[in-house]
Amino acid sequence: MNRRNFLRVLTAACATGAGISRAQESGMASRGVKPQPRGKLSGLPFHAHFTDVAAHAGLRAPVIYGPPDRMDYILESMGCGVAFLDYDNDGWLDIFLLSGTRREGPVEGATNRLYKNNRDGTFTDVTEKAGLTRQGWACGVTIGDYNNDGFDDIFISGWPQNTLYRNNGDGTFTDVTEKAGLLHAGNRWGTGCTWVDYDRDGRLDLFVSNYLVFDFDKIPPTGKDPRCDYKGVPVNCGPRGLIPERPMLYHNNGDGTFTDVTAHSGVGSVPPGFGLTAVAADLDGDGWQEIYVACDSTPSLLFHNRGDGTFAELGLQSGLAVNEDGSEQAGMGIAIGDFDLDGRLDALKTHFAEDTVALYRNTGHLGFDDVTMRSGLGVETRYVSWGDGIVDLDNDGLPDLFWVTGSVFPEVERKHPEFPHKSPRVLFRNLGNGRFEELLEEAGAAIAEPHASRGVAFGDFDNDGDLDILIMNMNEPPSLLRNDVSGSGHWLKVKLVGTRSNQSAIGAVVTLSYSGHKQAQAVMAASSYLSSGDRRLHFGLGAAEAADLEIAWPNGTRETFKGAPSNHLITIKEGSGIVARERFGS
């Protein structure tokens, strides 16, 4: 970024922190970007094909989030995340769906839902039995074993309170929010959340980003404030013009309780911003996890872990705060992966309509370059974009890019049909030379199907050796996109179990070497948009029949393994090596 752009962004950040009145600007950041011309497709076959099997699988209940035909308040428009998890440790991914409600609530059927995997392509709703029935405005979810008892626990962010559920290990959960010290005074809108062992003591700490100060009685609904409009159509107010919030960091005390260390850690020293998705990963390879927060209409935040219990906010210096023009964007979702196979973790951040997503290439030493335009992603600017992933969908060894879309202003479509409320999913195939091409029809009708979607989770729910996709749709049943990969591409899955590190191994980085490539993946507790995916890392290998692994464990130690066979799930226990091999697939 040149000095002029740096100063411009810094000035904008300060102005936002002070609060921008709606008379000056309203809505999310949209830069009016025109798409790049589309070139001719490569013509290469794409071996992944997606079918929405949600109804057949038993996922038929709609996810209630605000009114079905309008969005009077920004809270109703933001939606929520989803999660793949194995809550009962049977080796099959279960599904956890968040839910909102409606202002006039309670609303019949509006509850978070837990679905148990029946191992035959179907799921059973076990919400009531599990003790997870709850109605309210849930937003984000992060999955991890915070008490190291061998069972994954669930933390949910939302308005007006967050919730921590302890997994009892018998198929049930207990709300321990108050006991854990995580209840807060008054109302607060928690959004992005992630488990992170920031001090490497073997216990999962908790980071929560907060969006803005919200009160139904103090914010005018759609049509009541003439300054809140989009394309000449009255819409809900915010985020600009509303009061932004700071994130929070909680330290795990090891006795089931947490201590607020926001101020001591330096996390609380940043100016307030409109924080959404939060992810934690070791982005500079020094063995300590950073925390990256997508911010809506304000520069995004990167908390660099100093290794002494404190963080320095280096978003602008790293290149991850803004785009290559120095402009803040409407940051929604964050994906972390290694798209260029150089062994470093890159990032993909989604944004508003009439703008591009941002693809950041990791250049080392906590430096990132925005390569969005040169990679070919600039052809797509039509949609409001949300949950995303850097994931190898066709097992060719080259991670692809996927994200979902959907408007926050359903009223606009009536006057401007070019801005539809429901819009398709977006898939860019990795061509292997730093460039991508958008596939509109080649991956199946489920990709082109329009929905107003938000959260996304990636995981292999049917244990057939490819990545499936779980999607939250506003006021509709979720989508479960079953992936059926053809061709001869091999794969390898890696499940890590910590001993000296936290049992979930959250924070570990696995680097796989195969066919002259080196691909890094991080074990994460949250990503995409307010969501949590399969913690079994999935690597497509292409033609390679074996791979070498290097593991950087969260506590700083490293282990290597040679010649891991393809088409297997291998389980590695810290200090004990490979403790299980399982071959499965179609």
Side-chain angles (χ1 to χ4, degrees), residues 525-580:
S527 62
S528 178
Y529 177 73
L530 311 180
S531 297
S532 184
D534 190 350
R535 256 199 333 271
R536 303 175 300 182
L537 302 181
H538 177 95
F539 295 86
L541 299 180
E545 296 183 354
D548 299 333
L549 295 84
E550 181 180 15
I551 302 171
W553 290 96
N555 74 349
T557 61
R558 292 178 178 265
E559 293 184 278
T560 58
F561 301 90
K562 300 290 187 181
S566 67
N567 302 336
H568 281 76
L569 164 67
I570 61 172
T571 301
I572 301 176
K573 191 172 184 179
E574 186 178 13
S576 300
I578 298 175
V579 296

Side-chain angles (χ1 to χ4, degrees), residues 252-322:
N252 188 332
N253 300 321
D255 60 359
T257 68
F258 293 80
T259 298
D260 184 345
V261 293
T262 305
H264 172 75
S265 65
V267 166
S269 65
V270 301
F274 301 115
L276 287 174
T277 300
V279 301
D282 181 8
L283 297 177
D284 58 357
D286 68 352
W288 299 85
Q289 291 179 80
E290 276 68 50
I291 301 172
Y292 183 30
V293 184
C295 291
D296 184 0
S297 306
T298 54
S300 293
L301 304 172
L302 178 66
F303 292 101
H304 171 56
N305 194 332
R306 292 189 176 113
D308 61 359
T310 67
F311 292 83
E313 202 288 299
L314 301 178
L316 286 171
Q317 295 92 320
S318 70
L320 287 171
V322 294

Side-chain angles (χ1 to χ4, degrees), residues 21 87 133 280 327 352 456 537:
S21 76
Y87 80 95
T133 302
S327 299
F352 206 72
V456 174
L537 302 181

Side-chain angles (χ1 to χ4, degrees), residues 2 11 36 150-151 161 225 291 300 302 306 311 317 350 364 427 436 447 477 545:
N2 62 39
T11 301
Q36 291 178 321
F151 291 90
Q161 283 281 350
D225 189 330
I291 301 172
S300 293
L302 178 66
R306 292 189 176 113
F311 292 83
Q317 295 92 320
T350 54
L427 171 58
F436 295 82
I447 301 299
E545 296 183 354

Side-chain angles (χ1 to χ4, degrees), residues 38 41-48 394 400 425-431 436-444 447-448:
R38 293 181 183 270
L41 288 178
S42 67
L44 297 170
F46 189 68
H47 294 295
D394 57 350
D400 309 297
R425 291 79 192 247
V426 177
L427 171 58
F428 277 85
R429 178 244 295 279
N430 193 334
L431 294 173
F436 295 82
E437 63 178 2
E438 186 174 11
L439 302 181
L440 301 175
E441 300 175 351
E442 292 79 0
I447 301 299

Side-chain angles (χ1 to χ4, degrees), residues 39 64 217 238 241 295 507:
I64 303 299
D217 296 325
C295 291

